[in-house]
Each structure stands twice: as structure tokens, then as C-alpha cells.
Amino acid sequence: MELAPSILTADFTRLGVEVEAALESGIRWLHLDVMDGRFVPNLSFGPLVIQALRPLTERYGALLDAHLMIVEPERYVQTFAEAGCHSITIHAEATLHTHRTLQRIRELGLKAGLALNPGTPLTALEELLPDIDMALLMTVNPGYGGQKFIPTSLSKIARLRQLCADHGHATLPIQVDGGINPATIAAVRDAGATVAVVGSAIYNAQRSVAESVAALRLALATPQ
Ligand code: DX5
Ligand code: ZN
């Protein structure tokens, strides 16, 4: 399973050091949570921060994956492409034009992802399976790091895995985002998720990034 750290709870006064610690632990996928204060109550950061990280992540061959929690993401996909993202994930709830926006992301040469909030049914994604390179299921309500995993997400992940298989997209990457830690990661993997977005269980005051990454890998390697 791929680990994709979210830097939301990292120490922003030393962001480069925080990101490099993850890269040194073998991380090759960075998840960048962009929030606009409208789609979600919180504000985070924008393309400038992503652009600043690009030379560092490029040295390690790591991917920059933007999770846009913003309304009408079509207004900004080009800006995030120019900032150096390799992939952009938009929310099905954030635009009337999911299909057009996903096409546009691909036209820009990036991988396109579609995210669903916990309350959004999988049918919002079904029509778009041919148009996406990955799916993201929110396993908390978006907006903040450090929230508790919503247990009913497990059956939703399993149903999405089945839906993908039924439509000839058995290998579509499924990301899960929110409340993933050593206690929940094996269950989401077993349900069919392939990419674990991890924020506060990697960036926290209790352990170093290397120790936190090791704890997650151990949880994945331990028989349930
Ligand atoms: C929530 C974000 C997540 C979040 C994950 O709105 O999309 O990426 O920061 O944080 P944890 O792992 O702490 O739930
Ligand atoms: Zn996210």
C-alpha cells in the first residue's frame, strides 16, 4: 500500500525539513490539501507552497498530488498544473462540471482524481470511471486533520472496489483520506484501498516522521 503524507499538521516553519524527512523514509507521494474556506470551513495553502516544494520532491522522484477542497476547481486546475503538480483531485460536490474538469486536468498532462465526501453516494463516481486515474474516498468530513475515522467507510471502500471491477476498472487506485493511523490502516487496505493519505499519524508532536512511517508499515505487515 502506498503511503501519501498530508502536510497539513506539519511544522510550517520548517516545511522543507518535514517533507524531506518523509522522503528519506521512502515516501514517494505527497498529498497536498488545498482549502478555500468555502467548500470546507478551513483555509490552508495554495500553489505557491506546492511550487516551492517541487525542486525538493523532484530530487527524490516523488509525486505531488493536489487534493482541491475548493468550489469550482475548474477555475484553478491550470494554476496547479503550472505549480508542478503531477495529479489533481477534485470533489464531485464542488462543481457542476466534473466531467469537463476531469478532461481538462488530463489535457494538461496530469492524472485526474475524483473525491467523494462521506455522505456522497458512489453513484456520483460511476459515470466518470473512464475519465479518472484515481478515486478518493473521504473517511472523515473534509476540512481538518486529526479527526476520527468514520467506520462505515469500510463498506463504502469495498463497494467501490467491486464497482470498479464490475466496470472493467479493477486496477483503479483508491485513496482513503482521514483518520488513517496504525489502528485503521490494515482495515482500509483489506477493504480495497491502495493509497493511504496520512496526516496527523505522520506529522505529530509524539514521534518523528521516520518512527511514524515505520509504525504504519509495521501495522500493514502484521497479520490481523
Ligand atoms: C482533511 C484532509 C486530509 C487530512 C488528513 O480535510 O483532506 O488529508 O489532513 O489528516 P488526518 O490523517 O490527520 O486525518
Ligand atoms: Zn486530503
Side-chain angles (χ1 to χ4, degrees):
M1 180 173 224
E2 187 86 34
L3 295 180
S6 158
I7 58 169
L8 214 51
T9 53
D11 177 354
F12 276 68
T13 63
R14 37 197 293 282
L15 188 57
V17 175
E18 293 271 72
V19 168
E20 192 152 21
L23 297 166
E24 281 293 323
S25 301
I27 295 297
R28 292 295 177 265
W29 184 317
L30 269 199
H31 179 91
L32 300 149
D33 286 308
V34 178
M35 304 181 181
D36 67 353
R38 289 191 62 209
F39 182 70
V40 290
N42 203 2
L43 290 158
S44 61
F45 53 83
L48 280 179
V49 170
I50 298 174
Q51 195 179 352
L53 289 172
R54 173 78 195 224
L56 170 61
T57 53
E58 208 164 69
R59 283 210 295 280
Y60 289 82
L63 299 177
L64 289 172
D65 178 23
H67 174 198
L68 299 188
M69 286 165 276
I70 67 177
V71 294
E72 295 166 5
E74 58 270 29
R75 295 175 300 145
Y76 286 104
V77 289
Q78 180 155 353
T79 307
F80 282 94
E82 286 166 3
C85 296
H86 297 89
S87 51
I88 296 179
T89 295
I90 61 163
H91 267 265
E93 308 85 357
T95 175
L96 294 172
H97 300 290
T98 42
H99 184 271
R100 180 189 288 158
T101 309
L102 292 164
Q103 297 284 326
R104 180 76 188 123
I105 294 169
R106 282 184 163 179
E107 275 167 23
L108 289 163
L110 277 63
K111 300 251 188 262
L114 188 68
L116 303 184
N117 281 339
T120 303
L122 292 173
T123 47
L125 196 142
E126 192 171 349
E127 296 300 326
L128 296 162
L129 280 174
D131 304 293
I132 60 175
D133 302 297
M134 51 196 187
L136 186 157
L137 293 183
M138 288 306 306
T139 45
V140 299
N141 285 296
Y144 301 95
Q147 301 181 83
K148 208 171 146 337
F149 180 80
I150 299 172
T152 51
S153 308
L154 287 178
S155 93
K156 194 175 184 185
I157 299 164
R159 281 180 286 120
L160 176 57
R161 183 44 81 208
Q162 188 61 49
L163 187 77
C164 292
D166 293 346
H167 288 74
H169 298 276
T171 59
L172 186 82
I174 297 178
Q175 298 189 49
V176 284
D177 187 358
I180 309 300
N181 57 42
T184 54
I185 194 165
V188 293
R189 187 259 329 262
D190 293 347
T194 54
V195 182
V197 175
V198 185
S200 54
I202 287 185
Y203 290 109
N204 57 65
Q206 285 77 46
R207 296 185 202 206
S208 71
V209 170
E211 287 167 344
S212 297
V213 169
L216 289 158
R217 292 209 175 109
L218 180 65
L220 286 170
T222 308
Q224 297 305 294

